[in-house]
Every structure is written in structure tokens, then in C-alpha cells.
Amino acid sequence: MLLGGKALAQDAPDLAGGPNWTPPDLSGQSIRMWGLNYAPHVERYQMLISKFQELTNGTVTLEPQDGSSIVSSALTSLASRNPPDVLCLMGRMSDGLVKQGGLTDVRQSVYGDLGIDNAAWWFPEALGAYSWGEAIHGVPVEGNAHSGVSVRLDLVAAAGADLAWPGTVADADLNELNAAFASYEQMFEFAARLQNKGSSPVIWGQNRQGWELLNIATMMEQLGTNWFDEQSGQFAFDSEACVEALQTLVTKPYELGIESKLGLGHVVNVFAAGQAALGIGNDAAAGEATAVGLSATNVVLPSLVAGQAPKFVGEGGWGFEIPVGAKNEAGAIEFLKFMTTYDAQFIWSGIYGGMTPACRPVAKSSIYAGDGPLSQGQRRLHTAGPNTRFMGHGWDPQINEMVQPIVDLLREGKSTPKDTAAELQRQLTAQQQRFARS
């Protein structure tokens, strides 16, 4: 891989399968970029732009966009025939643009031209978020699977040294099996040991509120059932797999007395407030708790299938796309080629102190090499990357917001797992039908 001989990360790991890009001279050329008007993103855009300009002598002009309207603004720019040359957008937010024929397929112009071995270079979830059938409509820069269990280390220390959990496995021995709890039974027993109902506030064994769709889809995947079929547009919530997922998500931990529905909205808030020993559903819980003075790390969720390495379904992350009709498509293609390189991926992955990378070799980089609990947790989470797939395209994004209220009825004892599964199928199918007609 060529980057003008100026590699950012001198400790770069094995780069086999990566792009072979020679930076062109783009003197006198300008590229318009749209991205999210959000400080951590803007900082990364500027770092990437600076490196790209250094390598190519071209000019990139950043035009930050409001997150609530970036998709509609992109659609408007296509209709007015004045789109940006490069667009930074989540893959799962791009269905409407693809449906309108508004994104360029860069499968050959970027990936093929650079000779990238996609299976070796990318984690499957990340690239899947930009793949529609055989077409690839962008370059990913992150993954977002929420495969972790955030753990309060102060509570572990207080509980004693005889606890069985993945946090005792040495870095050199980590693999896809031992970075995770061996079973849900082991995790529930661990949570029970850590909880303290006599404290103020009460410290529950675990909390799993929020991000229910990903939780349910992941457990259904482990049981061999795809939650949503892209070809037919059909959900599979009316299945035994969904019923078992709901039993594990809610019924069992509530019956064991290690979890209760709390009024803080979702797991990140609950965990950071010190009201749960384990936070499940969003890997950011450990970082947010650390930011307020708690000691926390991440390990990996178990599989519902004994002895099986856990599989996960993720929502993918952000990446870079080229709208159809870009004024400088050739320059935009070079920017996306740059974004496939180790150095560009390394730059982005430093966001938030270390985001789940899209590029496999970056997972071995110095970003995640620290000895602190969060860095150790990130290395455990990376073992799940090869077994994580993207959740699929074509479903109505509003469905995300519909799942928690339905599942909350189960938490409140007003429904059963079987009835909850049926209600998910009924309500989400009706919404998907409305979406398909729109």
C-alpha cells in the first residue's frame, strides 16, 4: 500500500490484502465534502482532509450538515443536480439515496482498481453496511455492533477472587470464545454476585434497556433465524427464536431478581449512574461510567448456543460515499481510494479515543494498545468482529423506535414472550408496509 512514503502509524500491523494506492497529483482540483456537523466528526474530517491534501496537492472543502436533515438535504441536492462530491453518511441511513439511484457504485472504480481483498481487509459488518447486493456504495470507517457487556470493576474486586468471568483471560490468550461469557447462565450468576440491593441507590445485577432491536436480532441470529429478509421485506418475529430471545432478554433476568425496569431511559444512563453492575446493549456504557469516576471495562456477550462462538448483528457505522452527478467524480474516487488505506482508517478510528474499526488491521494498532480497563475491553470486543454481520437494508428506520415500548410491556409484566413476539410482528409489519408504499 502506497501513501507517498508517509505512513502515520509506524507500528502498522500486517497489511496483506489492503489497497495499492499511489496518490495522484490533483493540483488545481477542488472536492466538496458534506459531513455531520458534530465536533468529533468535524475534527476527524479535518485530519483526513489535511492528510489527503498533503498527499495529492488537491483541495477539499468541508461543508458540515445538520444531522437531523443531512439525508433530506442530500436528496434535495440530487434533485437540484448540485450534490457534494463526497458525502459522509451512515450506510443504514443511505437506503433512500440508493433507492433513488443517487449513489455511485464504487465496487470496481475503488475496490477493484486497488485490488483489495475485502474479506481480509474489512470486518464484515462494516462493509455490509455499504453493500446492496453486489454493489458497494461507499467506504466504511467504523463498526457498531454492541456485542459487549460493560462491567463495574470495583464491584468485581469487592466480590472476591473466585469469580468466573472473561475479564481474567490474558491478552495473549484472547479468542472469540474466551473473550465472552461461556453462557447466559454464567453471566446471570456473575451479575447476581455483584448486585447490592441494600445500597443506595440499589445496584442491580444487570440492565439491558434500550437497543432492543439489535439485541433481539443478534439472539435470533445465534439461533439460526434471520430477523429480516431483505428480498421479501418480511420480519421473523413470529418465531420460536424470537420468543427464546425475549425470554433471555427480559423474562429470565427479571425472574432471577437481577434486573428491574428503571426510569433512566436506557442502559448507558443506568450504568453511568451506578445502578447496575453489568450494562448490556451499548458498549459505550463502560466509557461513560469511566468519565464520571467509575472503573469499568467490557467483555463479550455469550452465545445462546452452548460451545458456539457468539454471532452478532450490528447496525454498521459511518463511511464515505459519492453522490451520482458529483461535479468532480474523479477527485471523489481518489478520496474514497484514500479512505480505504490503513492510514485513513487509522485516523478515523481514533475518534472518541478509539471507535470499533472497519479495517481489520487497525484493530491491532496502537489506538487500542493501552493497559487501562477500556483499552483491554476494546481488545476483547474486537474478537467478535469477524462473527458480526450487518443487520440488512430495506427496513423502515422508524422501527428502531417502536421496539422498546413493546418490549417494555413484557418488562412490566403486562405481556408474555410469545405475545410480545406476535405484537412485534404485527406492529412492525404494518409499519413496514406503510414505509414500502411511501
Side-chain angles (χ1 to χ4, degrees), residues 8-9 17 48 141 232 276 300 340 421 438:
L8 289 172
L48 290 165
V141 289
S232 66
V300 179
T340 70
S438 64

Side-chain angles (χ1 to χ4, degrees), residues 76-271:
T76 299
S77 75
L78 289 169
S80 63
R81 299 184 179 180
N82 189 34
D85 300 311
V86 173
L87 173 64
C88 183
L89 192 66
M90 286 188 81
R92 72 174 183 85
M93 296 169 64
S94 303
D95 280 351
L97 294 170
V98 173
K99 188 176 180 180
Q100 297 274 347
L103 292 179
T104 300
D105 180 2
V106 296
R107 173 184 34 171
Q108 183 55 47
S109 60
V110 173
Y111 294 89
D113 194 57
L114 294 176
I116 299 173
D117 181 343
N118 287 332
W121 196 242
W122 307 106
F123 284 116
E125 176 215 4
L127 187 61
Y130 291 87
S131 302
W132 283 260
E134 295 297 318
I136 305 177
H137 288 290
V139 174
V141 289
E142 60 187 36
N144 200 19
H146 303 311
S147 55
V149 181
S150 296
V151 180
R152 285 271 303 275
L153 292 174
D154 57 321
L155 300 178
V156 173
D162 63 329
L163 289 173
W165 73 296
T168 61
V169 179
D171 259 10
D173 299 325
L174 280 177
N175 60 48
E176 60 188 6
L177 280 171
N178 65 25
F181 281 101
S183 66
Y184 269 91
E185 288 72 24
Q186 184 194 47
M187 187 177 76
F188 291 157
E189 290 173 9
F190 182 71
R193 285 281 302 273
L194 300 188
Q195 78 175 356
N196 185 352
K197 293 183 179 179
S199 66
S200 181
V202 170
I203 301 174
W204 291 89
Q206 68 170 50
N207 185 271
R208 204 167 183 173
Q209 290 172 228
W211 293 276
E212 285 83 1
L213 181 57
L214 280 177
N215 277 282
I216 294 168
T218 280
M219 287 189 279
M220 290 175 65
E221 179 83 2
Q222 292 172 358
L223 294 169
T225 299
N226 183 7
W227 78 282
F228 174 71
D229 183 79
E230 291 187 50
Q231 300 303 314
S232 66
Q234 299 295 310
F235 299 107
F237 295 114
D238 55 345
S239 63
E240 288 302 315
C242 184
V243 172
E244 184 170 345
L246 288 164
Q247 289 171 337
T248 306
L249 181 74
V250 177
T251 307
K252 290 180 181 179
Y254 278 61
E255 288 178 346
L256 290 168
I258 59 173
E259 184 171 358
S260 179
K261 184 173 181 289
L262 303 180
L264 294 177
H266 57 69
V267 60
V268 177
N269 292 341
V270 171
F271 192 73

